[in-house]
Amino acid sequence: MQTKNLQGRVALVTGSSRGGGRGIALALGEAGATVYVTGRSTRAKSTRTDLTGTIEDTAEAITQRGGLGIAVRCDHTIDADVKALYERIKQEQGTLNIVVNNAWGGYEDYNEVDFSVPFWEQPMSRWDKMFEGGLRAQMVSSRYAMTTFFLEQNRGLLINTGVYSDYGIDYPINVFYDTVKRAVANMTRAMSQNLKANHIDVIALTLAPGWMRTEAVYKHYGLDAGDPDFMKVEALHTTESVEYIGRAVVALASDPHVSQKAGQLLEVGALAEQYGFTDIDGRQLPPFRI
């Protein structure tokens, strides 16, 4: 059980109905934060009928852990939705301390075309969803975070989730995916330079998890989400729970010297070793490499 070292802090985690976003939101709630949970999947209408997880589910679980979860439906590809979200947080809280931009549309229709085929066989709709529902969504949210809160406060922590991108020249998986994820790290590094040049005490960084046991991963291996017997599946031995990245976010948000990490691409496994936290099963998994 974590200490309530984020009591009184207000956080926003985009794309947190399931997956890594849910894990981040839960960990922040367990640390005592008020957490705004956003996404398109609600109990009234989910984007994935084959998977569990809604923004209301996450918000309730946050509150059960000792934080305060607030669910807000938001399509992060629609700028007006994002603007309304930030205005609501301003009206209700007056401040915002932590923003984790995790919304991601790049896995929609994942099974429509093999994810590993060469770029000329990839549907351009996949490219569009990765950029609009991923990279662009992170930029739009970051802009509203700055103009609604962080510039006035002259403080804040902005985290864009990504992947480890030092693959060299032989990265074989998906050209679209590699391009957008490298762009996330580059965008965040450039944001940090803008902030530094303008003497603004906002920390922007990219955080990369390993291979997470998301709801979709459990389903792929014929397991119920959260099944504690996942270790019976050899392929899942090196996987992380979705809360491992959440504990990394809490560690960063609790670190008075986090500014030293501004602009960097950080890995959950490396941060676990540095800060001394473990995954929910007690393991301290190393950084993930494809």
Side-chain angles (χ1 to χ4, degrees), residues 203 251-262 264 274-275:
I203 311 307
L252 290 166
S254 306
D255 184 356
H257 305 295
V258 68
S259 61
Q260 296 174 6
K261 294 178 171 59
Q264 296 180 33
Q274 177 183 346
Y275 288 110

Side-chain angles (χ1 to χ4, degrees), residues 1-5 26-27 29-32 64-66 247 278:
M1 179 69 70
Q2 295 179 3
T3 59
K4 303 298 182 184
N5 53 330
L26 292 178
E30 192 167 55
Q64 289 168 1
R65 292 192 181 202
R247 292 182 174 189
T278 65

Side-chain angles (χ1 to χ4, degrees), residues 59-72:
E60 286 185 3
I62 289 167
T63 302
Q64 289 168 1
R65 292 192 181 202
L68 175 62
I70 301 172
V72 181

Side-chain angles (χ1 to χ4, degrees), residues 122-139:
Q122 296 280 343
M124 286 307 296
S125 59
R126 181 171 284 170
W127 172 277
D128 293 339
K129 288 174 180 177
M130 286 184 179
F131 275 84
E132 292 174 9
L135 185 68
R136 187 182 188 280
Q138 289 182 330
M139 174 56 81

